[in-house]
Amino acid sequence: MKRVTLQDVATHAGVSMKTVSNVVRDYPHVSPAMRERVQAAVAELGYRPNLRGRSLATGRSNMLALAFPDLRRPYFAELAHVFARVSAARGYRLLLEETGGTPDGERAVLRDREAGIVDGVVLHPQALRATDLEAYREDTPLVFLGEDPQPSGADQVAIDNVAAAEQAVTHLVRLGRRRIGFLGHETGPWSFTSTLRLDGYRAGLERAGHRFDESLLVARAEGDALGAEAALGAALDDGLEIDGLLCRDDLAAIGALRALLVRGLHVPCDVAVVGWDATVLTASTVPSITSVAPDTVELASRALDLLLERIDGLDAPGRHVTVGHDVLVRESAPEP
C-alpha cells in the first residue's frame, strides 16, 4: 500500500504543506478551524509522520534511553514505568536497556550514545566507577541515577540513603525494638549503596542510644528473596536473636518474612520488618511490608529536567539533586 504523504494530506484538506506540517508539529499559531480541518484529513487518510525525516530536519529523535542493571528487580521495573509516563508527558518515547550490572553492559550504553538513536541517556550504573566513566565524554547528554559517586561534571539524581535508613531505624525504635538487625548487604565487598544504608542504620541506632553490634548484620550471597531467606534462616538457626529488622531492599524483606514464618516467629509481634523501595508487591504480602519509599515521580521528573536542559544546550557544571523519601508504614511494622 502506498504510504500517505504530507502532500496527500495537504491536497485532501485544500491547504499548503506548510500548514499541514505546522499542525502535525503542534505549532500554536494555527487557527482552531484550520487545525480541525487538517486533523480530519490526517485521520481520514491514515497519515503517520515520517519520524526519520523529522529527525533529520530537527536533529532530534524525541527518544531517550533508560538503562538499568536488572529489570527483574521490582524497583527498576517500577521506576522504568514511572520514567515512561513522565517522558511521554514531555513528548518523548523511551528506549529501555538492561546492562546486567556489568562493566561491558554499561560501557556499551555509554559507547553507543553517538549512534544518533536517542537525544539523551539516563543511566543507573552499578559496575563502573567515576574514574571509568570519566573517559566517556560524548555529545549525547547523560544523567546518572543512584548514589555511586560520578564524574564531577556529571548530572546525578539520588535519594539520601543515610537519612532514609536512619529514619527507618528510628521507626523501629519507636515500636520498642532493641535488637534491630540489618539484612541483605553483600557477602563480598559492600556496594556504595549498601555502605550508605548501613551508615544510616548505625546512625539510627546510635541516635537512640543503642550499641551497634556487627553480629546483627546478615549478609546474603544472592541478591534476591531466596538469598535473603537462606541467609536470615541460617543466622536464626545459629542463634541470632532480633526483634526488629531493616532490610536493604524489598526482596530481602520478602525473604525475611518467609524465613521468620518457617521458624514460627510472628511479624510484627516477634520481629518488626522494614523493607526498602516500597514496590507494589509489598502491599500484597502477608503481612504487608513497611518500607522506605523513594519519591520515584520526583526522581524521574528531576532527572528529565536535567537531561532536557542539556539537550537544549545547557553548558554548566555537574549538578547533584537529592529527592525526597518517606517510610511507608504497613502491617510488618505498624505505628505504635
Side-chain angles (χ1 to χ4, degrees):
M1 179 180 292
K2 179 179 177 291
R3 181 184 179 89
V4 178
T5 67
L6 204 69
Q7 180 62 66
D8 294 332
V9 176
T11 300
H12 191 79
V15 299
S16 69
M17 284 182 60
K18 178 66 173 175
T19 298
V20 176
S21 178
N22 288 342
V23 172
V24 170
R25 295 174 185 276
D26 201 26
Y27 286 176
H29 54 267
V30 180
S31 70
M34 187 62 71
R35 185 180 302 277
E36 183 177 351
R37 182 174 169 182
V38 171
Q39 288 174 338
V42 166
E44 189 172 340
L45 296 179
Y47 171 72
R48 296 184 181 279
N50 185 334
L51 297 180
R52 180 178 298 177
R54 178 184 296 181
S55 177
L56 290 172
T58 64
R60 295 187 181 181
S61 66
N62 282 92
M63 291 189 67
L64 305 173
L66 178 63
F68 284 151
D70 188 348
L71 293 171
R72 295 171 302 175
R73 299 185 71 82
Y75 173 68
F76 289 132
E78 292 186 20
L79 189 56
H81 171 69
V82 174
F83 263 97
R85 289 192 293 112
V86 174
S87 298
R90 303 187 186 200
Y92 280 85
R93 298 181 68 180
L94 208 56
L95 177 66
L96 191 58
E97 296 199 49
E98 184 178 70
T99 65
T102 66
D104 286 346
E106 293 174 5
R107 287 192 191 101
V109 170
L110 295 168
R111 184 179 60 244
D112 296 341
R113 282 185 290 152
E114 71 275 10
I117 299 173
V118 298
D119 298 330
V121 177
V122 177
L123 171 65
H124 193 298
Q126 185 170 293
L128 296 179
R129 304 277 75 86
T131 51
D132 303 313
L133 296 166
E134 193 73 47
Y136 294 92
R137 295 303 183 97
E138 304 292 348
D139 293 334
T140 305
L142 172 68
V143 171
F144 292 105
L145 301 181
E147 302 74 34
D148 287 43
Q150 304 304 339
S152 58
D155 293 332
Q156 182 175 6
V157 183
I159 72 165
D160 188 336
N161 278 257
V162 175
E166 184 173 355
Q167 182 178 345
V169 170
T170 299
H171 175 72
L172 289 168
V173 170
R174 287 177 54 237
L175 299 181
R177 309 305 160 127
R178 294 294 178 266
R179 290 185 58 81
I180 300 170
F182 185 97
L183 168 66
H185 59 289
E186 299 80 3
T187 53
W190 293 352
S191 67
F192 192 69
T193 298
S194 291
T195 299
L196 292 176
R197 294 180 184 181
L198 280 158
D199 286 346
Y201 161 80
R202 183 168 190 160
L205 293 176
E206 292 175 349
R207 179 180 179 182
H210 293 186
R211 183 176 63 86
F212 173 74
D213 183 352
E214 286 192 6
S215 70
L216 301 182
L217 305 183
V218 182
R220 61 183 172 185
E222 299 295 333
D224 56 13
L226 290 175
E229 178 189 348
L232 181 60
L236 292 169
D237 292 342
D238 285 342
L240 175 68
E241 295 182 3
I242 53 174
D243 58 8
L245 186 66
L246 173 60
C247 301
R248 184 192 183 278
D249 49 58
D250 285 342
L251 289 177
I254 290 171
L257 291 187
R258 180 169 173 79
L260 293 165
L261 174 66
V262 167
R263 287 156 182 82
L265 295 170
H266 184 274
V267 177
C269 295
D270 298 319
V271 182
V273 175
V274 176
W276 197 299
D277 293 328
T279 48
V280 171
L281 55 86
T282 57
S284 300
T285 56
V286 180
S288 58
I289 297 173
T290 295
S291 187
V292 174
D295 189 335
T296 54
V297 173
E298 184 187 7
L299 189 150
S301 297
R302 296 294 287 121
L304 289 180
D305 286 344
L306 300 180
L307 190 61
L308 297 184
E309 287 172 3
R310 295 293 186 186
I311 290 171
D312 288 337
L314 176 68
D315 183 11
R319 298 160 294 175
H320 189 121
V321 175
T322 301
V323 303
H325 67 272
D326 203 353
V327 174
L328 181 59
V329 177
R330 295 196 182 110
E331 294 167 346
S332 69
E335 290 289 356

